[in-house]
Each structure stands twice: as C-alpha cells, then as structure tokens.
Amino acid sequence: MYIQLQNFGMNSSVKSMYYDGIYECVSRIHQFPEIVCIIDGEVEITVDGVTEIAVRGDIAVITPFRVHSFRTPKYCKIWIGVVSSDFTDDFLSGDNVYMTGVKSVFTPTRSLFDYLCEHLPPEYDIPTVLNGDEFAYKRVKAIVYPVLEEYMRMVTLEKRPVKACSLASVLMYVANHYTEDISLASVAEAIGYTPTYISHAIALIPNMNFRRLLNSMRVDRAKPYILRGNLKMVDVALECGFSCERSFNRAFREIVGMTPREYRRTKIE
C-alpha cells in the first residue's frame, strides 16, 4: 500500500491531473479527499476492498484515509483532483472525524456533470500549492463544493469518533521510518500516543493493523528492486526493513498472494 506523503498536512494544496488511455494505480492512502470525474470510458474503482464501476458521467468521491486503487479495462479519460482539507471542511469536518460513504461512485445531475466538464482546469493550470492565490482558491472551491454538496445528498456518510489527525501522524511517521527496526510501542513513544490509541486509529483502515501496515510499506518498496533483478532477495529484504529473507517471503506472500520470485516471473513474462 502506497502512502502518498505529498497529500498530507499542507493547507491550500491541490493535485489536479488527467489520465487519457489505459490507467492503473496501486492501492494507496492519503489524508486529503479525492474527486474522480469520468469524462469518457469506464473505470474500476476499489475503495476499502469494495469495487464499483464508474462510467462516463459518473463521479467518485474518496474520503480521507481510505485505501483505494483504480483500473481501466480499456480506454478512459478521467480527471482526478486531490484537495487539502481546508477546501472540504464544510462537508467533511476536517480532522475531527473519520468519515466513510456507503459507496464512493455516484451519478450526478446532468447539469453538474456538464458544469464540471466546462470548468475542470487544464493540465498544470492550477499550482500544487496556492500560496495565497485567492482567485485559484475560489476556482478550486467552485469545483469541489457542488460535487460534495450533491454527493452528500445522495450518499449516507458514517462518522467514527477517532480523530483523523492521529491516524495521519501514525501514517506519516511509519512512511518515513519503515525501513528501520520500529514497533507499535516505539512509534507510540515517538509521536506521543499510547499503543492502544494508535491501534484504534489504524483499525479505521479496513483489515489493517500495525504489522500489516508496516509490511505493506516494506513490500511496496521491495517491488522495484525485485523487478530490476540486480540484488539478491536477502539483500532486497534487508534494504526494505525486513530482518531476514524468510520474514520477507512470508510478508510478501501474505500481502501480494505470491512469493517475491513468483512476482518477478509474472511481471517479466
């Protein structure tokens, strides 16, 4: 699972991009809400293990801290916008709660979809950090607000009381230290929470605990090394934070469903 550190912690930040063609992204998680507009084609969007099909005219809203991935079985054109929480606080309550929708994909009114197609920014037209640019800030809000207003009218959201800010702290710390010999207790001491509180925060992510979170990051780091083939497996294991090749193989099989050597064969062949 990929932790997108660039999508953590910075106000007035926007990541706006288009994908045109065949597209696939690995499972990832970030602190900021994400909006996906399907301009053409079809996309399989998986959020917290549940896959939904989005077609032309649909929108997906992925609330913060949800594990998600995309895959297009054939041609598509989509716009993806990841916006910092200050753009969405009126709807998603900022850092106060963790919120999930019963579904992520919805079909907006035709007028909203037409409005988005007309007003979505061209590639690279909006800076990543707005730095007090009031016009750009309002321009982003003019896209985000109508989408979230319609989404929340159509989809019931579930609120959970554990503060999202604590989960962000855990994810950011582990993402920066997962190649080291860290444990639940050492992470708790480093960021100032109890191990029990951290366990509850991580449990907001479906089917996740501290060990699996740590191993997921290590396995993701290992994949490029495995495919390059210039290191022995034991060296890959040590480089990515595992204590030995045996624990690396066990974790890799648990997360990917195959051994590292099987993974290399499937990707090379």
Side-chain angles (χ1 to χ4, degrees):
M1 183 181 64
Y2 177 46
I3 308 297
Q4 291 187 284
L5 289 179
Q6 70 270 34
N7 293 329
F8 274 83
M10 185 180 296
N11 283 338
S12 300
S13 120
V14 180
K15 189 176 182 182
S16 170
M17 67 214 86
Y18 287 88
Y19 290 97
D20 191 345
I22 304 297
Y23 174 56
E24 181 171 4
C25 82
V26 299
S27 294
R28 59 193 59 213
I29 191 170
H30 43 72
Q31 183 183 4
F32 296 155
E34 182 168 331
I35 295 171
V36 184
C37 182
I38 316 303
I39 301 169
D40 198 7
E42 177 182 300
V43 186
E44 296 176 2
I45 299 178
T46 301
V47 181
D48 291 343
V50 177
T51 299
E52 299 176 69
I53 305 298
V55 298
R56 184 183 187 280
D58 286 343
I59 298 174
V61 174
I62 302 166
T63 51
F65 303 109
R66 305 188 72 186
V67 179
H68 59 282
S69 60
F70 307 134
R71 191 181 80 85
T72 57
K74 50 187 179 181
Y75 167 81
C76 78
K77 183 176 182 179
I78 60 177
W79 175 81
I80 298 177
V82 182
V83 297
S84 55
S85 300
D86 51 317
F87 286 105
T88 64
D89 281 352
D90 289 343
F91 298 94
L92 300 178
S93 302
D95 285 336
N96 295 325
V97 292
Y98 171 86
M99 305 179 73
T100 61
V102 294
K103 63 177 184 175
S104 299
V105 176
F106 75 105
T107 302
T109 59
R110 179 59 185 269
S111 60
L112 174 57
F113 183 73
D114 290 345
Y115 169 83
L116 289 176
C117 289
E118 182 179 350
H119 290 87
L120 289 176
E123 191 99 39
Y124 309 118
D125 194 44
I126 292 181
T128 301
V129 181
L130 301 187
N131 288 329
D133 186 335
E134 186 175 351
F135 175 77
Y137 190 87
K138 289 179 178 179
R139 186 179 175 192
V140 173
K141 273 201 167 184
I143 295 170
V144 172
Y145 267 54
V147 170
L148 292 182
E149 190 277 331
E150 200 157 296
Y151 175 70
M152 296 189 71
R153 280 196 292 107
M154 295 183 176
V155 177
T156 301
L157 294 185
E158 174 190 351
K159 299 181 181 181
R160 302 186 192 178
V162 176
K163 288 189 176 181
C165 57
S166 61
L167 179 56
S169 299
V170 174
L171 293 175
M172 292 177 70
Y173 185 87
V174 177
N176 282 311
H177 297 274
Y178 62 87
T179 60
E180 304 169 15
D181 182 19
I182 60 174
S183 65
L184 178 62
S186 67
V187 172
E189 181 178 1
I191 64 177
Y193 293 104
T194 67
T196 299
Y197 191 86
I198 287 180
S199 293
H200 288 164
I202 294 174
L204 291 172
I205 306 171
N207 304 314
M208 190 64 68
N209 55 37
F210 178 80
R211 182 184 64 83
R212 186 174 180 87
L213 175 68
L214 179 59
N215 284 341
S216 293
M217 295 189 200
R218 289 173 170 172
V219 164
D220 277 344
R221 179 180 175 87
K223 288 177 180 177
Y225 290 119
I226 294 170
L227 296 182
R228 284 200 293 268
N230 59 337
L231 290 177
K232 296 179 180 179
M233 287 299 176
V234 63
D235 294 327
V236 174
L238 297 176
E239 178 70 24
C240 298
F242 291 99
S243 59
C244 63
E245 185 177 356
R246 182 179 178 183
S247 63
F248 171 49
N249 288 336
R250 184 170 59 247
F252 201 96
R253 178 184 287 277
E254 177 186 343
I255 291 164
V256 182
M258 62 184 77
T259 67
R261 287 179 173 80
E262 290 170 341
Y263 175 78
R264 176 187 287 167
R265 286 199 298 271
T266 60
K267 294 297 182 181
I268 292 177
E269 294 172 0

